Amino acid sequence: MDDSDEALMLRAGRGDRAACEHLVERHLGRVVGFARRTLGNRADAEDAAQDVFLRVWSSARHWKRGEARFSTWLYRVAMNICLDRIAKKHESGSRNGTELADERPGPAAAADAKQLAEVVASSLSALPDTQRIAITLCYYQGMSNRDAADVLGMSVDALESLLARARKALRANLHMIAPTLFDKR
């Protein structure tokens, strides 16, 4: 039996819950990771991922094979849900927070790695939404520029320009937030 994403989506569209569950098992970790980097914390990311897979189930019967790759469509859904959540937070006046650091002491190398991860997460969260999403899709999710451009609904050239601006802004943010952290390396 064909267990490609597209075949599973078609089966889910016919009411096959097991097919939908298989899609969730296959993609949940990556969707949560994308949402965490986009939204800034794990709790919001898990809520967003739940909404993504509810949308997968409710849209399955309308999904057509060949119009888009399932993974591209899935990340498009995830991006839209994350952007909606960001907009709602901005409307309500609440700030988009980041996860708190683990305060337990550890070896120096682990502490440096944790500090670097926090600085990068903070710098990433300071980027405009589209730049943060482009960086997340290409560098954290491992998507090709073509697939990321499809998710964002833009040309590859526009995506590459967006990535260049995002990398430049990240470098500036990183040096501004923690200039001494990079002097050690």
Side-chain angles (χ1 to χ4, degrees), residues 2 18 23 30 84 93 99 114-115 129 134 139 142 147-148 151 155 169:
D2 184 6
L23 286 169
R30 287 186 295 265
D84 287 348
E99 292 181 343
K114 182 138 183 91
Q115 182 182 14
D129 295 339
Y139 295 106
D147 289 343
V151 169
S155 70

Side-chain angles (χ1 to χ4, degrees), residues 15 21 31 65 72 82 92 101 114 122-123 128 152 158-159 168 170:
E21 288 172 8
V31 169
R65 183 180 224 156
T72 302
C82 289
S92 68
K114 182 138 183 91
S122 177
S123 184
L152 289 164
L159 174 78
K168 183 178 180 181
L170 268 175

Side-chain angles (χ1 to χ4, degrees), residues 2-185:
D2 184 6
D3 72 341
S4 68
D5 291 338
E6 289 76 14
L8 290 169
M9 191 64 170
L10 290 172
R11 289 184 4 226
R14 293 189 299 267
D16 184 343
R17 288 181 183 263
C20 193
E21 288 172 8
H22 196 67
L23 286 169
V24 171
E25 290 169 5
R26 185 178 286 173
H27 295 282
L28 181 62
R30 287 186 295 265
V31 169
V32 169
F34 169 79
R36 185 178 51 78
R37 288 181 183 91
T38 303
L39 298 171
N41 70 66
R42 182 136 185 111
D44 288 346
E46 289 172 351
D47 288 345
Q50 185 175 27
D51 289 347
V52 168
F53 287 105
L54 284 172
R55 179 94 40 94
V56 167
W57 177 251
S58 65
S59 300
R61 65 187 178 111
H62 302 291
W63 191 81
K64 292 183 174 91
R65 183 180 224 156
E67 286 186 5
R69 285 189 12 210
F70 174 78
S71 60
T72 302
W73 177 81
L74 180 68
Y75 280 105
R76 175 72 119 175
V77 169
M79 178 189 71
N80 288 336
I81 286 172
C82 289
L83 289 174
D84 287 348
R85 287 175 170 272
I86 289 168
K88 286 178 184 171
K89 278 189 176 187
H90 287 301
E91 287 173 9
S92 68
S94 64
R95 285 189 48 103
N96 182 12
T98 58
E99 292 181 343
L100 295 176
D102 184 357
E103 298 296 326
R104 294 178 291 182
D112 283 350
K114 182 138 183 91
Q115 182 182 14
L116 180 60
E118 290 170 356
V119 168
V120 170
S122 177
S123 184
L124 189 61
S125 71
L127 292 176
D129 295 339
T130 54
Q131 288 182 10
R132 182 174 58 251
I133 289 169
I135 290 283
T136 299
L137 290 172
C138 292
Y139 295 106
Y140 289 99
Q141 301 305 122
M143 279 192 172
S144 69
N145 286 3
R146 172 80 260 153
D147 289 343
D150 287 346
V151 169
L152 289 164
M154 60 179 55
S155 70
V156 173
D157 288 342
L159 174 78
E160 289 171 353
S161 176
L162 184 66
L163 286 170
R165 288 192 311 275
R167 286 189 302 266
K168 183 178 180 181
L170 268 175
R171 272 192 299 277
N173 288 345
L174 289 170
H175 285 289
M176 186 172 61
I177 292 171
T180 59
L181 184 64
F182 297 98
D183 293 339
K184 292 191 267 184
R185 302 205 189 297

